[in-house]
Amino acid sequence: QVQLVESGGGLVQTGGSLRLSCAASRSISSINTMGWYRQASGKQRERVALITSGGSTNYADSVKGRFTISRDNAKNTVYLQMNSLKPEDTAVYYCNALDLPRLYWGQGTQVTVSS
């Protein structure tokens, strides 16, 4: 098993930046894929960014060029650097870990972007 704890959310103005962190309870070096998802009020949860154990990344079109996902295996932590934030980025952001065959989720961290 692995527990995930997100942090770094908050209130920021349009155009600002935030860095989210997802700390895992054990080594993430062998975890297949880790990712960030978000869920805005009244909407379905959507994928934001993924990173594989080999370092390959994948982004939703809506965040390409603005968000960067990275992982630090030594710190058992995955990050999401969010720049040029927009009001439509407002959501609860969740970290997940696909450690086959199981999928784990964190509890989420709120990001609010004011216009």
Side-chain angles (χ1 to χ4, degrees):
Q1 281 195 348
V2 58
Q3 284 77 47
L4 304 171
V5 179
E6 301 96 333
S7 61
L11 174 64
V12 64
Q13 291 186 334
T14 297
S17 298
L18 284 173
R19 188 176 80 155
L20 304 183
S21 299
C22 172
S25 59
R26 65 165 179 83
S27 173
I28 64 171
S29 59
S30 63
I31 293 178
N32 309 88
T33 303
M34 297 194 70
W36 287 96
Y37 286 69
R38 67 187 181 187
Q39 187 167 18
S41 181
K43 296 187 177 181
Q44 289 188 330
R45 190 173 298 188
E46 63 175 358
R47 175 183 56 82
V48 175
L50 302 174
I51 186 166
T52 69
S53 57
S56 297
T57 58
N58 181 275
Y59 296 93
D61 288 343
S62 58
V63 307
K64 280 181 182 177
R66 301 188 298 122
F67 290 11
T68 302
I69 188 171
S70 61
R71 62 195 288 167
D72 186 335
N73 290 341
K75 295 183 177 180
N76 299 330
T77 301
V78 174
Y79 303 98
L80 184 68
Q81 178 66 44
M82 305 187 295
N83 299 328
S84 302
L85 283 161
K86 305 175 182 180
E88 50 264 43
D89 294 318
T90 295
V92 178
Y93 283 71
Y94 298 90
C95 173
N96 80 357
L98 177 59
D99 188 22
L100 292 173
R102 295 185 176 184
L103 181 65
Y104 300 92
W105 291 92
Q107 83 290 347
T109 186
Q110 176 71 46
V111 171
T112 302
V113 185
S114 63
S115 56

